[in-house]
């Protein structure tokens, strides 16, 4: 099967119509649905928009929406036909032949399928005279017609070649509709397919639809089955995205359109269409890189040393030092960071086939980053996550692996730390879903459940992204609403969590060495005692070591944090006992308050 | 009846526990409910928090919450008692005697009122031994107990002096509960009253409660009846706010606490408690003041002249010019604005008693602004709205009115403009409800329906605030989520809308004079024709004049906009035909796109 045509509704994106069209074209879409309000606000005539789309390589696949047309009394029907002819005029100038008609929500309409079919037939007849077609869609909140089965009965009854169905995944799946019967509809009567995902929410379906739709792969709908049925029925039109989302409506349309394209390619892959090579298996982290100014880098190096890391190498051509303990590797890069600044500049995963990982990333709309490379250096490939973090694909064990870029200065240390458990990245509130989709499509990670919690400075959501063997975990965090300006202290924290075989023992050593462990207040331990009735010795050890504790159905979790290095980066030691699956997010508010105390003290407040 | 004590739950506010307590005290609260997670994250011991509250003049009225206690098997019950004793330890150190127990949601619990009562009696007995009391609350999503009537049956059955009820308006009103029976509960068994408002949403009640509660007067619950019943029953404890809201959780706690206090005072007024003098009647706008740099001020003056205004006076001591036409007055103030800047610095309303308005404002937590005053100048009083806009209370006709501050230089012009219809102010997304509450409590305005619409750069909501005679209208606008950084052009637009007796005639004159009328695209008029089938002459006149059109059940609305002066201020002429009640918000996206074109052209993009 060849690649399908890909379209996007202008309503998915922010800006003027011209902004949206330019963004859709730049992201590689073949066509667009033009939302009427976008056209109405434009100073360009429909003919000018047609020419603009042609120059951008975009077809106009659908004009939408036409509302409240059918099953109305005769006087209103005459007015509606007049209204339709005006819109056909617009479509003629736009050079598009398909109009979307949504099932009526009008209080004037009557519950009469025969009348609805008859009036739609008349509309189709008029459309056909002008070389146009009508796609009828059942809104989930349609007054009488709100399932695709019902809209199909009406289209069948109208029986006109210029009248067919538009299927929208949201309208079907939000109502818990069964998409199986789609396969029984003749493909030539399926005029258009609109795709939208959504989180599972228990709320009014109209509000859900208008504010909370997502691109495919970002929500919890089974779009693979849905779209698969549509294709199996013989549909040959574009796969078109129609996503109403408050956040996307205010986001820069250029990256949003790229995100949209990525979501379609991931869906196509699941549909078995030829899109990209499969994601190679991953096998843990090769390294994580922190970019810091020299002063902060020195404090971070001291912190790593206190944790038992050794500096094992320096980069041949760049100001980068390598620190290691067991399989945990941290690069400290001192180029280009401002004062009091540290951030996770890159993470590197072990790929079974780095070049294939790179080709897949490119197919998933993540171009390989250009990279300066010294004469003896490895051909490392990396891409940029939506938040700018670099992602490297590595094969550390290969003869020409990345380690060769470093002059070895010492042997790796051995200690309680054995590797990187996860890297935690805070996303801007309006890029959270985009980041998850990037991990899913480019890296082949799967999303875990979203956890929401109340933190001292606002609500936060957390979602782990993991590979099949849980060797690579990325914890995404983000505020639910954009964070207020008032809170001082830590913004968009990031951290590297190291796997530790015995956090309590590590805590004892760190205490003895005066390492910058984040102090956890007594109140926390008093509550832990009330909640878990822990063995007093264990509770005492936790308290002495500022070790936090959590428990789930699978096991236990012990973890401790360092203080901040710079304004946002810190380290964590984690010990998973049994099959504990989470990240201890219940303890995150305590950690955040403690980091704020550290910063406030540092600034003398 | 004397003033009640006023409390606030720490969960309403953002920050660390110490931040929250300081903000509550500064806003004038008498007490707090301490939310356990706030304490757990604090480095201060409970005894230190007790001392800190004492220094701040705050009592600790409640410790909360204790969850999933009752109706459980014996082993779990023993664990729960142990957990409770630990929390009593904390309460003892805090110096508080009341704990909130929420009705269980535990899967271990059983549906057995007798068991629930028996276990709560045991808890109350243990509390009593330590001089404490237990307030039992029915959560709206409680597994078995989810109405106050049910929780009251259990408390009555337990029959222990240290066990009473906590009533929370959200849990009762979100389920559509009837608060009338509250009056039948003996006052001494009502241990605590929590107040929260909310918008009417059709969604899962737990999510509604956790994310969308509002302060009283900001939502649509009838809190007056609810709280009135509680007071009538003989409740003598504090009026306490418990509001979970994603936006308040990330907002600066100091103004949020002031807003909370204002909401309580407004509620108390409605309860007939002695809080503030009633808001005096208003009678339209005295003036609106625009602060602008000299260049922008000159362009605005030219624009006003083109609209038929005359410059009629200059201020005796400040760089302020007065412009007038009919009853419409605009002050242009050229002090202190940066380049390309204009903003609405103040609006002034005609009050039947300006000094009483001022006293009321102070009672509603809006202090009178200090004001420099020349020797011959009027004693104008003003307060600051939450967005910083000044609000003056005037009596223009008085001998010592504000006009005396100006040297008259010309007579007011007479023309098609007769007054100010409304002033439109864009609020930051996280201060929208605060602004509405300010208008309601300080100015005595009533809120109109909230309208949401999709604008080119994101979703916007609009709410009119009007006085009883509709002589003063303030249109509040705000983004639903914080606006993206990507969109150039207009940020937080503000405008003054003038009442015009004949917008089409005005448009003809403006066209002839080359005034800076905002051009509206042809596409808009083509759609208007399709939608309304207007008389062709009217449609032609609208199109020629760039006049926009709307219609509602009461009448018609004709309006036109000027271009922007500076980056955010523009003017509007409006004509209400019949009883049209709105603001033409359906046309706002067209206006926004047109203003963006103006700015993009100005910047040569």
């Amino acid at each position: 099967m060849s690649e399908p045509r890909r379209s996007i509704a202008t309503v998915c994106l922010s800006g003027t119509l011209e902004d949206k069209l330019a963004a859709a074209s730049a992201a590689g879409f073949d066509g667009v649905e033009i939302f009427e309000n976008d056209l109405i606000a434009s100073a360009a005539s429909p003919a000018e928009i047609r020419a603009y789309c042609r120059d951008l390589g975009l077809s106009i696949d659908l004009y939408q929406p036409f509302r409240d047309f059918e099953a109305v009394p005769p006087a209103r029907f005459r007015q509606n036909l007049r209204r339709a002819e005006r819109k056909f005029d617009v479509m003629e100038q736009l050079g598009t032949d398909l109009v979307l008609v949504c099932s009526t929500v009008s209080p004037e309409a009557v519950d009469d399928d025969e009348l609805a079919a008859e009036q739609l037939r008349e509309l189709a007849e008029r459309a056909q005279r002008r070389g146009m077609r009508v796609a009828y869609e059942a809104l989930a909140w349609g007054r009488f017609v709100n399932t695709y089965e019902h809209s199909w009965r009406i289209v069948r009854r109208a029986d006109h070649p210029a009248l067919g169905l538009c299927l929208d995944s949201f309208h079907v799946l939000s109502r818990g509709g069964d998409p199986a019967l789609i396969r029984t509809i003749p493909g030539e009567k399926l005029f258009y397919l609109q795709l939208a995902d959504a989180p599972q929410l228990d709320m009014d379906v109209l509000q859900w639809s208008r504010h909370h739709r997502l691109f495919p792969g970002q929500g919890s709908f089974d779009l693979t089955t849905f779209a698969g049925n549509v294709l199996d029925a013989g549909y040959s039109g574009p796969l078109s995205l129609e996503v109403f989302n408050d956040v996307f409506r205010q986001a820069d349309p250029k990256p949003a359109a790229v995100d949209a394209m990525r979501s379609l390619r991931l869906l196509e892959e699941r549909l078995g269409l030829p899109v990209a090579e499969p994601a190679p298996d991953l096998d843990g982290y090769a390294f994580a890189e922190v970019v810091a100014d020299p002063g902060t880098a020195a404090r971070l190096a001291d912190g790593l040393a206190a944790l038992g890391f050794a500096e094992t190498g320096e980069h041949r051509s760049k100001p980068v030092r390598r620190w290691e303990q067991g399989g945990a590797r941290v690069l400290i890069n001192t180029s280009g960071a401002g004062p009091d600044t540290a951030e996770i500049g890159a993470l590197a995963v072990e790929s079974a086939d780095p070049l294939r990982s790179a080709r897949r990333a490119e197919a998933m709309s993540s171009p390989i980053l250009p990279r300066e490379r010294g004469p003896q250096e490895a051909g490392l490939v990396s891409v940029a996550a939506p938040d700018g973090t670099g992602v490297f694909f590595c094969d550390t064990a290969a003869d020409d692996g990345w380690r060769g870029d470093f002059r070895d200065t010492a042997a790796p240390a051995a200690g309680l730390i054995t590797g990187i458990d996860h890297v935690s990245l805070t996303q801007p509130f309006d890029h959270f879903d985009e980041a998850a989709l990037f991990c899913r499509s480019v890296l082949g990670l799967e999303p875990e459940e979203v956890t929401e919690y109340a933190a001292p400075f606002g609500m936060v959501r957390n979602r782990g992204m993991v590979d099949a063997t849980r060797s690579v975990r990325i914890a995404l965090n983000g505020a639910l609403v954009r964070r207020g300006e008032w809170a001082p202290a830590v913004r968009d924290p990031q951290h590297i969590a190291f796997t530790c075989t015995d956090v309590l023992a590590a805590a004892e050593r760190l205490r003895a060495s005066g390492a910058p462990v984040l102090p956890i207040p007594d109140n926390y331990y008093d509550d832990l005692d009330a909640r878990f009735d822990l063995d007093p010795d264990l509770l005492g050890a936790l308290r002495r070591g500022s070790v936090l504790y959590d428990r789930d159905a699978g096991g236990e979790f012990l973890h401790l944090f360092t203080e901040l290095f710079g304004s946002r980066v810190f380290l964590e030691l984690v010990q998973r006992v049994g099959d504990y699956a989470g990240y201890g997010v219940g303890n995150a508010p305590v950690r955040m308050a403690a980091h704020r105390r550290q910063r406030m003290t540092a600034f003398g407040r």
Side-chain angles (χ1 to χ4, degrees), chain A residues 110-169:
Chain A
V110 293
D111 187 7
D112 182 340
D113 283 5
E114 179 58 42
L115 183 63
E118 184 185 305
Q119 293 183 343
L120 285 167
R121 189 187 309 121
E122 171 68 22
L123 182 68
E125 180 62 27
R126 286 172 180 242
Q128 191 177 36
R129 275 183 226 147
R130 303 180 70 157
M132 294 174 185
R133 297 178 307 146
V134 173
Y136 183 57
E137 174 183 72
L139 297 178
W141 55 90
R143 188 157 169 227
F144 305 114
V145 178
N146 44 43
T147 65
Y148 77 90
E149 295 93 333
H150 196 168
S151 58
W152 171 228
R153 285 199 301 276
I154 289 173
V155 165
R156 212 164 26 178
R157 188 185 283 226
D159 191 24
H160 193 286
L163 181 68
L165 282 185
C166 174
L167 293 178
D168 178 314
S169 59

Side-chain angles (χ1 to χ4, degrees), chain A residues 221-362:
Chain A
F221 285 173
D222 178 4
L223 292 183
T224 310
T225 301
F226 180 87
N229 285 341
V230 177
L231 295 181
D232 286 350
Y235 173 73
S236 57
L239 304 184
S240 189
L241 298 169
E242 196 204 27
V243 173
F244 304 89
N245 179 292
D246 289 355
V247 167
F248 304 160
R249 279 189 193 272
Q250 58 84 59
D252 186 340
K254 291 181 287 300
V258 170
D259 200 38
M261 174 56 75
R262 189 178 283 144
S263 79
L264 262 188
R265 290 176 181 264
L266 181 63
L267 176 65
E268 288 168 32
E269 176 173 75
R270 307 217 161 187
L271 287 167
L273 299 173
V275 179
E277 295 172 83
D281 287 343
L282 300 183
D283 186 21
Y285 282 94
F287 61 82
E289 180 179 61
V290 178
V291 180
D293 69 286
T296 308
R299 284 191 294 279
L300 175 61
D302 289 347
L304 286 169
L307 292 178
F309 281 74
E311 188 186 309
T312 62
E314 58 185 332
H315 196 278
R316 294 182 191 279
S317 66
K318 295 173 185 157
V320 181
R321 307 279 173 141
R322 189 183 69 213
W323 288 75
E324 295 187 71
Q325 180 176 182
R329 301 174 204 104
V330 176
L331 307 186
I332 304 181
N333 183 335
T334 47
S335 57
D340 189 35
T341 297
E343 60 177 24
I344 296 181
L347 49 89
V349 294
E350 297 283 353
S351 167
D353 186 343
L355 289 178
R356 179 148 64 88
S357 288
R359 289 194 300 270
R360 177 183 175 82
E362 299 224 79

